[in-house]
Amino acid sequence: MEAISDDVLKRTHTCGQLRDTDIGAKVSLAGWVRSYRDHGGVVFIDLRDRDGITQVVFDLPAEGDQAAQAMYELARALRNEWVIAVTGKVRSRGCERENPKLPTGKIEVLGESLTVLNRSDTVPFEPDEFGSVSEETRLKYRYIDLRRPVMARALTLRHRICKAMRDVLDAKGFLEVETPFLTKSTPEGARDFLVPSRMSQACFYALPQSPQLFKQILMVGGLDKYFQIVRCFRDEDLRANRQPEFTQLDMEMAFVSERDVIGVTNDVLRAVCAAAGKSFPDEVPRISHAEAMDKYGCDRPDTRFEMFLHDVGDIVKDCEFKVFSATVAPGGLVKALAVGGGAKFTRKEIDGYTAYAGDFGAKGLAWCKIENGEFTGTPAKFLSEGVQARLREVCSAGEGDILFFVADTPANTNKILAALRLKIAGDLKLFDADEFAWCWVVDWPLVEWDAEAGRWDSMHHPFTSPRLTDADKLESDPGAVMARAYDIVCNGVELGGGSIRIHDPQLQRRAFSLLGIGEDEAAEKFGFLLDALRYGAPPHGGIALGLDRIVMMMVGAPSLRDVIAFPKTQRGVCPLTGAPAEVDDKQLSELDLKIIVPPE
Ligand code: ASP
């Protein structure tokens, strides 16, 4: 390939910029050949860069003009995804050749010089045809996938959102401070990624699940207002929308209460929404954890539509339908979901919902339709008129509605009906796809009972402060202790969570002990935090927002992988680089590690 002079690389515009007001201008563009059409006498090239597409035209030159002839021949030889630089004049396409779908669709550039900057082998897929290849292939050739305008738009918006976050926080006096990646196990409750240390034999670093302890220590260090757009690592089984490494906007502030953290977060989210061209409410509704569980069956309520769940245990506890009454007595939960107009559901649709509920662990799905003033469906004949009347009243159900019932343990009943509520609302289109409904979930319990492990577990993490008026119940009635924690939820997706922290080492010890973390374990795992709390820790609190998830919502993308430049697959693999991969023996021996492959 010939040497390329620097001048050829100088661009006057991007491929998304030119408009009819530029007609007559001499311009230089560079980019990738998105498509070529040779109409015998005229060659059309769609030239693409991150910013857009511009049509470039090479006309058959007058006979005898050898330089122009050579350029024309070169234009005819161009193939998809070759990289070229073009100089030429902007001209109108004329009404009948305009492309209203492209912002540059009114103009084209008449090529006057053309340089091939690089050729491309035949690509494994055209960026525009990404839908015809597997995601694995798209991720393997991510550099081609990234040429799709949608990807460029997503990453551009991601950048704008990060900038908006930084601008708001900078204006409020926050400092962005980096915290270590090679660190000790951190306490978000997931599995750690471990990194063996070469210099300390048989010792490992853990990649941080979040900067939680460091940001608290920054507060003890007097940094006052901290934030960081930071990568976190959690070695979890990757459900549909999780990544082993993901990005958080992490914040911590000293001398604050819940109200302050929520206020700052609202301001950040308002700026994020503005950057994405969306509005954000002046007042974000707050809902207690108890109310969320009661009405929505989950702690991240989708508040775009109502269709609440109703606890009907009291109404059905003595009824003759044993599935209901036998559940209530031993502490189970019977709840109903009333679907307006649902009596129209066919048998097949109801069977479909029963199967759907089954995926979430339902042993069955009882239902009653209200038709011609009467209850129909299996339980109907076991429900007295009085019970039926009270069900209608409590569920605000009327003629033409259907009631779905689940009777199970409280956790299962809520899980199943919460999922069914979302499914039915989606099917009935009870909300617009581009609608945003925000809410803060507040008043969380500090701990929940983990029956399997037989111990109390943090609802948030072990550094969350109990409500101070509840602190005396830490030992006597832990389940009744409320936490100073808050979650921000949008459209049923948890976008972030945080809390006011414990800043008193004595209280922190009691919290550890409640969680079954004894003195020795606390000293070994979190001794450095306990030490720091002894030396003048200010009251402090913070929050972390999931950046990938926020960008995904703002872009309206179906997957986190659509808003991360180099994501991993659901098996935690990077198809581009092939990570994770085996390492050679020398690397292993330097680390004093030996791989023992278990026998088949
Ligand atoms: N460290 C917490 C998390 O990653 C957030 C916080 O409490 O600030 O979920």
Side-chain angles (χ1 to χ4, degrees), residues 188 210 212 215 234 248 250-252 460-461 497-499 501 542-544:
E188 305 294 346
S210 89
Q212 183 62 34
K215 68 177 174 174
R234 297 183 192 174
Q248 284 187 346
D250 195 43
M251 297 188 252
E252 197 74 8
H460 190 49
H461 54 52
S499 59
R501 326 296 182 188
I543 190 165

Side-chain angles (χ1 to χ4, degrees), residues 156-467:
T156 305
L157 186 61
R158 186 177 176 117
H159 161 77
R160 294 257 158 264
I161 285 173
C162 290
K163 180 168 180 330
M165 289 171 164
R166 288 197 163 96
D167 288 348
V168 171
L169 292 171
D170 177 66
K172 289 180 185 290
F174 280 72
L175 304 180
E176 185 160 21
V177 182
E178 287 158 275
T179 52
F181 276 179
L182 295 177
T183 181
K184 240 182 125 169
S185 187
T186 51
E188 305 294 346
R191 202 176 292 116
D192 286 322
F193 280 103
L194 297 176
V195 180
S197 160
R198 181 179 55 81
M199 286 184 282
S200 306
Q201 279 193 353
C203 290
F204 292 79
Y205 300 99
L207 299 181
Q209 294 182 30
S210 89
Q212 183 62 34
L213 298 174
F214 289 108
K215 68 177 174 174
Q216 290 192 237
I217 289 170
L218 286 173
M219 294 305 103
V220 185
L223 270 295
D224 196 12
K225 295 187 178 84
Y226 145 94
F227 82 100
Q228 187 181 188
I229 294 181
V230 63
R231 203 65 60 80
C232 302
F233 306 86
R234 297 183 192 174
D235 187 3
E236 294 176 294
D237 291 333
L238 303 174
R239 278 181 270 136
N241 243 338
R242 296 237 172 165
Q243 284 283 308
E245 50 178 316
F246 60 94
T247 308
Q248 284 187 346
L249 169 64
D250 195 43
M251 297 188 252
E252 197 74 8
M253 308 154 221
F255 311 111
V256 288
S257 69
E258 292 87 326
R259 184 200 299 247
D260 302 300
V261 182
I262 288 178
V264 169
T265 308
N266 284 342
D267 290 346
V268 168
L269 290 171
R270 191 167 291 114
V272 164
C273 287
K278 315 255 183 235
S279 60
F280 185 80
D282 291 338
E283 275 290 324
V284 180
R286 290 185 195 188
I287 174 167
S288 73
H289 177 264
E291 188 183 345
M293 293 308 295
D294 183 44
K295 285 186 171 167
Y296 301 89
C298 71
D299 54 20
R300 41 188 168 80
D302 191 333
T303 52
R304 283 175 294 183
F305 56 95
E306 296 204 331
M307 202 163 78
F308 299 135
L309 316 187
H310 302 277
D311 182 345
V312 297
D314 249 8
I315 303 175
V316 298
K317 65 177 190 297
D318 299 318
C319 77
E320 283 168 28
F321 192 56
K322 289 285 165 277
V323 178
F324 292 170
S325 44
T327 302
V328 181
L333 181 62
V334 184
K335 272 187 158 180
L337 173 69
V339 182
K344 285 202 218 80
F345 288 154
T346 60
R347 200 50 213 238
K348 198 165 159 224
E349 282 170 321
I350 295 177
D351 287 349
Y353 290 131
T354 307
Y356 189 79
D359 291 345
F360 291 84
K363 296 188 244 348
L365 186 64
W367 54 269
C368 288
K369 288 182 176 178
I370 307 177
E371 290 171 306
N372 306 319
E374 308 234 319
F375 270 49
T376 59
T378 310
K381 61 174 177 291
F382 303 105
L383 304 174
S384 68
E385 257 177 42
V387 166
Q388 293 188 9
R390 285 186 64 203
L391 284 173
R392 280 182 200 229
E393 189 193 320
V394 164
C395 302
S396 311
E399 181 60 29
D401 295 352
I402 190 168
L403 296 172
F404 288 109
F405 298 91
V406 173
D408 209 317
T409 61
N412 284 351
T413 297
N414 278 327
K415 181 175 74 184
I416 295 160
L417 278 180
L420 193 64
R421 174 180 176 270
L422 295 182
K423 168 80 177 129
I424 293 177
D427 291 349
L428 297 182
K429 303 203 169 38
L430 295 187
F431 52 86
D432 287 338
D434 54 3
E435 194 181 336
F436 283 87
W438 297 88
C439 70
W440 281 99
V441 180
V442 295
D443 300 335
W444 291 72
L446 185 72
V447 288
E448 62 187 337
W449 182 248
D450 179 340
E452 221 167 274
R455 61 174 173 82
W456 293 102
D457 217 353
S458 305
M459 290 284 272
H460 190 49
H461 54 52
F463 314 101
T464 296
S465 174
R467 215 187 257 165

Side-chain angles (χ1 to χ4, degrees), residues 443-588:
D443 300 335
W444 291 72
L446 185 72
V447 288
E448 62 187 337
W449 182 248
D450 179 340
E452 221 167 274
R455 61 174 173 82
W456 293 102
D457 217 353
S458 305
M459 290 284 272
H460 190 49
H461 54 52
F463 314 101
T464 296
S465 174
R467 215 187 257 165
L468 291 183
T469 47
D470 287 347
D472 55 349
K473 289 184 277 193
L474 265 182
E475 289 80 14
S476 57
D477 189 4
V481 177
M482 300 303 279
R484 300 184 69 185
Y486 30 78
D487 268 13
I488 181 76
V489 173
C490 182
N491 296 359
V493 179
E494 184 208 323
L495 291 182
S499 59
I500 300 299
R501 326 296 182 188
I502 298 171
H503 65 277
D504 166 6
Q506 207 39 47
L507 185 57
Q508 185 64 72
R509 276 203 185 84
R510 286 171 61 202
F512 281 151
S513 140
L514 168 62
L515 300 169
I517 305 175
E519 288 280 331
D520 290 348
E521 190 185 351
E524 194 250 316
K525 282 193 174 150
F526 310 120
F528 59 102
L529 177 78
L530 287 170
D531 280 349
L533 294 183
R534 283 167 47 219
Y535 296 107
H540 61 285
I543 190 165
L545 303 178
L547 178 72
D548 309 299
R549 208 150 277 198
I550 288 177
V551 178
M552 185 181 121
M553 287 205 103
M554 294 293 145
V555 174
S559 157
L560 282 178
R561 297 186 287 276
D562 294 331
V563 298
I564 298 174
F566 300 108
K568 306 233 172 0
T569 64
Q570 271 180 45
R571 300 200 54 243
V573 168
C574 169
L576 176 77
T577 60
E582 289 172 6
V583 296
D584 60 39
D585 289 343
K586 180 159 176 283
Q587 283 173 301
L588 286 176

